[in-house]
Amino acid sequence: MALEEFKARISLLLEEMVNQPEDQHEIQEQLREKLREMRAMGLPLPADLVELEKRLDDDFYAAGT
């Protein structure tokens, strides 16, 4: 999958997070999966998405305590 296709799919996931907050956890997992795929393929990860991933992880762990 090309970098542009990953960016397009991630963009759609981010839109879904805004438009369907009730599905936020599922969408977050899909976003993490796309980032893992990008890492596995050696593609560059945009810094803003790496930061978003960190914030999602922080929020997840904070909610669990």
Side-chain angles (χ1 to χ4, degrees), residues 5 10 12 14 19 28 32 37 41 47 54-55 60 64:
E5 189 174 343
I10 288 171
L12 290 173
L14 295 174
N19 295 329
Q28 287 176 5
R32 286 183 181 98
E37 288 177 31
M41 294 179 71
K54 181 184 178 322
R55 286 194 342 235
F60 176 77

Side-chain angles (χ1 to χ4, degrees), residues 16-41:
E16 285 183 45
M17 286 177 76
V18 172
N19 295 329
Q20 299 175 349
E22 65 277 3
D23 296 333
Q24 186 173 357
H25 180 71
E26 175 64 29
I27 296 167
Q28 287 176 5
E29 288 305 312
Q30 292 176 27
L31 176 62
R32 286 183 181 98
E33 179 62 28
K34 291 295 173 211
L35 294 175
R36 281 192 293 270
E37 288 177 31
M38 289 178 74
R39 284 184 180 104
M41 294 179 71

